[in-house]
Amino acid sequence: MAPRNDRRMISASDDSAKMMKQVLANHAPDGHEVDVRPILSIIEDIFRRATATPSKIDGVPNGTQEHMDALHDNKSPAAFSGTPEPLSDIIHKICCEISCKCSGGGDALATTMALFNTLSSYSWDTKMVLSLAAFAVNYGEFWLVAQLCTENSLANSVAVLKQLPEIPAGYDGLKPQLDELNNLIGAMLDLTNCIVEFKQLPSQYISNDGQAMSMDQAHYQAAYWTFRSIVACNSRILSLRGLRHEYTTSTTDELELSTLAHKVSNIHVYENLKKQIDFWRQQIDKIRQIEEYNNLVRLLEKNNQDNIKILRALIYAEDLVDGETRTTVQIDVLKKKHVLLLISSLDNLSQEEILVLRKMYKDLKASKECRIVWLPIVDRSIDWQQTLYKFESLQKRMPWYTIQDPATIQPAVIKYIKEEWKYSKKAILVSVDQQGRILNQNAFHTLWIWGISAFPFTAETEEALWKEKSWTLELLVGGIDATILQWMKEERFICLYGGNDAAWIRKFTNSAKAVASKAQINWGMAYVGKKNAKKRLEEISSIITKEDSSHIVIDGTAMWFFWARLERMLYSKLQHGMSVEKDNIMREVMTLLSFDGSDQGWAIFWRGKTQEMASAKGTAAIDCMEKFHEWQNDASQTGFIEGLNNYLHKIRTGNHCNRLILAGVNGAIPGRVPCADCGHDMEMFFMYRCCPE
């Protein structure tokens, strides 16, 4: 064996312009592409097993049958059909070349350049992988014999002839040298993976600008320093021969390996190789998203024979989960069906929305051949386990179809949903007919107001329904409470009231019941609560029930739906281009919403199914009840509702402060809002609120 100091050490001139010119001169790829990933997987597997602590392999103690099984298992990526014969030949040739030249104490630089000559017809990434494969064979053979020599007679005999050190018996003495070796191997693998990763990026997206040219330079520098490192590592392995009973460490050898490891790592980190790969990956993702987005726009603009092509493009999956059976079904079950795409985040789909939609879905599915599919829009930057937990929790409560994995919704689809369908935070319900035509970008407005009678939820259907309606208690209440509907049939005088001030409610209900008795009218009162005050409403409802003050709208979900439906009326009117000056329904809806936005209680009075109504809030509502004697005669002559309106007009003052709080839906915010009391335009403010209940 040649003395170690005969091998040429690294010099500062090794990566000079002259040396790199020689490297480039030996680079003449023939255009033949090699799939190097499987080979690289085998290389990584060899190094993983070879560099494991000798007392354990995959966590299994040495000397046991399990240890032997672990050495021979096929659970790694290496278990594939094998290396193509031409590549096996070139790998064998390189094995021999580096072994012969390194064992003879040859010049490291000359050996390196000889490798470039042998691999001249291959691309940079293939050169690096094939040279690493050749070294992995030598390295693997060394460790296979070294690890088994104490357990296997054949391995022991080979180790004696090669004068290999006894491992694990002498591992501690060799550990400093092996650690340096393993560090350099790890750096080479990282660098090679970077080059392979870049090569596998789609070339049509890589521009020939300065960054791409910088990448080319990084490629041949990476290949050069990988070859130099392989030669040094192979020399180190060969130098371990003859050390069977004596372990010495050469400071020069360790310095060479650590210097090479630093150089290889510098190419990998300081020359921004990984950063540039990340840059190009991001650029490619952006370009692909733009292409996918444009393809989606074109697809949704064209006429299609059925809805499946559209749904596949949006859902990006072949299978769905049936919420009723909890089984997986193919997307084809939606063919020739009317589909409502429920689009929401994981945080902004309330329990009440799901409960109300469940009731409507049963009728939609039975009578309209309509199906709902939930498409969740998730934030991929937060903890994925937490995201999956939220997704599965919501999914369990849904009887309709859902996607299997929220990650299947592609960025281009999310971009389309946000830009074309104006999705922000509030859930939307997109109506898609059997031919894949988008009939309504948010059918929630229509469905909440009219129920399934508005199917298929087109703007034309909704406009026709609005033309048939005027502002009545029947429109306001819908079908949420059977008791109120019965009162309307009985032609009672009906008072709906709300707010969350217990003292005001007690005072108002007591005085109102006294008025009904004095006026001798058939009377009904119902509490409809307040928006976004769930816990407080439970307390108020409990007080009303205990004191038997009035009827209460059935439950919290019905109260929520009363206000949600009222807001949807406003947004629906806005979508149809209505204004408070031209549309009485819109004006009254905004008045009621402004009542709710105040801190005071309020009341609205109706006579049965007629359009006769009056409304008041705060002290005015209580004053008109407590001072009934002042307008009792007028009520007897003109009627109760008209008499009440006359009195309210009489006591109205200029002192008031009305607030209208609206949650923006699809950007629909009215340009101007007149005050319910004075008719002046209200000022617009922005409010940010967090009210978890």
Side-chain angles (χ1 to χ4, degrees):
M1 183 177 66
R4 293 193 190 101
N5 58 9
D6 286 349
R7 292 199 315 273
R8 178 179 172 181
M9 286 294 295
I10 300 171
S11 71
S13 63
D14 280 348
D15 57 348
S16 65
K18 181 179 178 181
M19 188 59 60
M20 290 306 153
K21 284 182 180 179
Q22 292 182 38
V23 170
L24 290 172
N26 277 322
H27 183 59
D30 59 9
H32 178 65
E33 295 292 332
V34 177
D35 183 7
V36 296
R37 269 295 174 195
I39 303 173
L40 191 54
S41 295
I42 297 175
I43 295 168
E44 289 174 331
D45 188 61
I46 291 173
F47 287 136
R48 177 178 66 88
R49 294 173 183 280
T51 57
T53 304
S55 61
K56 285 188 177 182
I57 180 75
D58 288 343
V60 180
N62 190 11
T64 64
Q65 181 60 44
E66 289 83 0
H67 175 263
M68 300 298 293
D69 293 341
L71 288 173
H72 294 287
D73 72 15
N74 286 324
K75 296 177 182 177
S76 72
F80 83 117
S81 59
T83 306
E85 187 174 341
L87 295 182
S88 299
D89 292 342
I90 194 68
I91 290 171
H92 178 69
K93 183 177 180 180
I94 298 169
C95 282
C96 297
E97 193 167 345
I98 58 177
S99 295
C100 292
K101 292 184 177 180
C102 290
S103 62
D107 183 280
L109 183 57
T111 304
T112 299
M113 299 311 297
L115 291 179
F116 276 109
N117 185 59
T118 302
L119 294 168
S120 62
S121 64
Y122 295 96
S123 59
W124 296 116
D125 62 314
T126 306
K127 289 183 204 290
M128 295 173 68
V129 171
L130 292 179
S131 59
L132 266 180
F135 171 62
V137 170
N138 289 343
Y139 192 65
E141 287 176 350
F142 166 81
W143 274 102
L144 192 59
V145 174
Q147 287 176 346
L148 296 178
C149 66
T150 59
E151 316 295 332
N152 184 284
S153 298
L154 177 60
N156 184 59
S157 298
V158 173
V160 170
L161 291 177
K162 287 193 171 186
Q163 287 293 288
L164 297 181
E166 292 181 356
I167 298 174
Y171 179 79
D172 290 341
L174 291 172
K175 188 175 185 301
Q177 299 181 58
L178 296 176
D179 284 347
E180 291 291 343
L181 193 63
N182 292 340
N183 288 339
L184 180 52
I185 288 171
M188 286 192 293
L189 280 174
D190 287 344
L191 180 58
T192 303
N193 270 301
C194 268
I195 298 299
V196 170
E197 188 177 354
F198 182 82
K199 180 64 185 305
Q200 293 183 339
L201 294 174
S203 59
Q204 67 268 28
Y205 298 115
I206 308 297
S207 63
N208 293 320
D209 59 10
Q211 284 185 309
M213 293 176 68
S214 175
M215 286 299 300
D216 289 339
Q217 184 179 9
H219 282 188
Y220 62 74
Q221 287 183 346
Y224 173 76
W225 286 108
T226 298
F227 284 14
R228 282 298 307 271
S229 300
I230 287 170
V231 171
C233 287
N234 208 77
S235 297
R236 172 57 56 86
I237 292 299
L238 292 173
S239 72
L240 294 177
R241 294 178 181 178
L243 298 179
R244 187 163 179 80
H245 304 293
E246 179 184 355
Y247 310 106
T248 60
T249 301
S250 166
T251 304
T252 304
D253 284 349
E254 289 183 10
L255 180 61
E256 180 185 22
L257 294 186
S258 63
T259 303
L260 281 168
H262 179 71
K263 187 67 180 179
V264 171
S265 297
N266 278 354
I267 295 173
H268 179 46
V269 178
Y270 295 111
E271 293 190 17
N272 296 320
L273 188 56
K274 193 68 177 177
K275 185 184 292 185
Q276 289 195 40
I277 289 173
D278 290 340
F279 167 79
W280 284 112
R281 188 187 292 114
Q282 291 173 11
Q283 293 299 107
I284 290 168
D285 285 345
K286 288 179 182 178
I287 295 169
R288 281 180 167 170
Q289 284 182 33
I290 292 171
E291 290 176 350
E292 290 170 5
Y293 176 82
N294 291 334
N295 290 338
L296 194 59
V297 170
R298 286 191 291 269
L299 178 62
L300 287 162
E301 286 177 348
K302 65 187 287 191
N303 294 324
N304 297 281
Q305 293 182 346
D306 58 48
N307 58 2
I308 292 300
K309 192 172 183 179
I310 295 290
L311 294 174
R312 278 200 177 101
L314 292 169
I315 297 171
Y316 218 76
E318 284 298 317
D319 295 325
L320 300 170
V321 176
D322 186 331
E324 292 183 337
T325 63
R326 300 299 167 190
T327 57
T328 301
V329 297
Q330 291 189 330
I331 196 172
D332 288 335
V333 299
L334 301 174
K335 192 172 184 178
K336 300 301 181 183
K337 297 286 194 299
H338 193 102
V339 176
L340 295 175
L341 299 175
L342 174 59
I343 300 169
S344 76
S345 71
L346 300 180
D347 299 314
N348 291 310
L349 190 62
S350 69
Q351 178 181 342
E352 290 81 8
E353 281 176 300
I354 294 175
L355 288 173
V356 173
L357 197 55
R358 281 175 67 104
K359 295 177 183 178
M360 294 185 175
Y361 181 58
K362 186 176 180 181
D363 294 333
L364 279 169
K365 188 175 179 182
S367 61
K368 302 297 184 183
E369 283 297 303
C370 182
R371 301 292 185 269
I372 294 177
V373 181
W374 181 41
L375 304 185
I377 306 298
V378 299
D379 183 353
R380 304 190 188 199
S381 66
I382 65 175
D383 179 69
W384 193 245
Q385 289 302 316
Q386 182 183 357
T387 296
L388 287 178
Y389 175 77
K390 287 183 178 181
F391 167 74
E392 290 167 1
S393 298
L394 283 172
Q395 188 183 44
K396 289 175 184 176
R397 292 156 53 192
M398 297 178 176
W400 42 80
Y401 295 111
T402 65
I403 60 173
Q404 289 184 290
D405 182 356
T408 59
I409 306 299
Q410 297 299 298
V413 175
I414 295 174
K415 175 181 169 69
Y416 184 89
I417 288 171
K418 290 181 176 180
E419 293 190 2
E420 301 297 326
W421 294 342
K422 310 304 179 188
Y423 169 79
S424 178
K425 288 186 176 180
K426 289 282 187 177
I428 61 174
L429 198 64
V430 180
S431 180
V432 185
D433 74 1
Q434 293 87 338
Q435 284 74 48
R437 293 175 298 185
I438 308 302
L439 302 185
N440 194 329
Q441 293 180 4
N442 192 0
F444 260 134
H445 305 330
T446 315
L447 185 63
W448 261 206
I449 299 166
W450 311 107
I452 67 170
S453 63
F455 184 86
F457 313 112
T458 62
E460 293 76 16
T461 303
E462 186 174 31
E463 189 172 4
L465 288 168
W466 274 125
K467 287 180 179 178
E468 297 173 1
K469 295 293 181 179
S470 54
W471 182 242
T472 63
L473 182 58
E474 183 179 17
L475 174 64
L476 174 60
V477 174
I480 65 172
D481 190 276
T483 299
I484 298 175
L485 295 177
Q486 182 60 36
W487 288 348
M488 284 190 281
K489 290 179 182 178
E490 296 171 1
E491 293 294 327
R492 289 195 189 194
F493 287 91
I494 301 166
C495 172
L496 303 185
Y497 68 98
N500 61 357
D501 184 339
W504 184 94
I505 289 171
R506 184 178 289 110
K507 194 172 184 179
F508 172 75
T509 53
N510 289 336
S511 59
K513 284 192 286 187
V515 168
S517 177
K518 291 177 184 177
Q520 296 183 343
I521 55 177
N522 194 8
W523 180 260
M525 293 182 68
Y527 178 63
V528 294
K530 183 179 178 66
K531 282 193 304 180
N532 304 315
K534 189 175 180 180
K535 288 185 179 179
R536 180 60 177 154
L537 292 185
E538 290 174 359
E539 298 171 4
I540 298 292
S541 298
S542 178
I543 293 171
I544 293 172
T545 301
K546 184 178 179 180
E547 298 179 1
D548 194 24
S549 302
S550 74
H551 172 67
I552 301 172
V553 170
I554 303 173
D555 55 34
T557 301
M559 280 189 186
W560 171 88
F561 187 54
F562 174 85
W563 292 105
R565 187 169 171 271
L566 200 62
E567 277 194 341
R568 299 289 178 172
M569 287 184 190
L570 174 59
Y571 294 127
S572 173
K573 287 291 186 179
L574 288 169
Q575 281 187 343
H576 287 279
M578 293 293 104
S579 64
V580 290
E581 295 88 356
K582 298 178 181 178
D583 193 280
N584 180 58
I585 294 176
M586 185 175 179
R587 181 165 55 252
E588 295 295 346
V589 166
M590 293 182 74
T591 297
L592 199 49
L593 289 172
S594 70
F595 281 179
D596 182 72
S598 70
D599 296 325
Q600 306 175 65
W602 58 269
I604 184 168
F605 306 86
W606 300 83
R607 183 169 73 84
K609 294 182 179 181
T610 70
Q611 295 183 45
E612 292 183 44
M613 57 85 61
S615 60
K617 68 170 184 174
T619 55
I622 292 176
D623 284 349
C624 67
M625 294 294 103
E626 290 183 338
K627 297 177 181 179
F628 175 61
H629 59 279
E630 295 185 14
W631 56 278
Q632 185 172 4
N633 290 335
D634 189 20
S636 299
Q637 295 174 11
T638 62
F640 184 82
I641 297 296
E642 187 172 348
L644 176 56
N645 271 323
N646 291 337
Y647 184 76
L648 288 171
H649 181 74
K650 179 181 176 182
I651 65 172
R652 180 174 292 132
T653 66
N655 298 323
H656 61 272
C657 182
N658 290 337
R659 292 196 300 266
L660 175 63
I661 301 174
L662 300 175
V665 177
N666 294 0
I669 298 176
R672 54 177 299 272
V673 179
C675 174
D677 280 317
C678 65
H680 293 159
D681 287 352
M682 300 174 74
E683 292 182 89
M684 180 183 289
F685 294 88
F686 292 99
M687 181 177 73
Y688 299 90
R689 184 183 65 185
C690 179
C691 303
E693 288 198 84

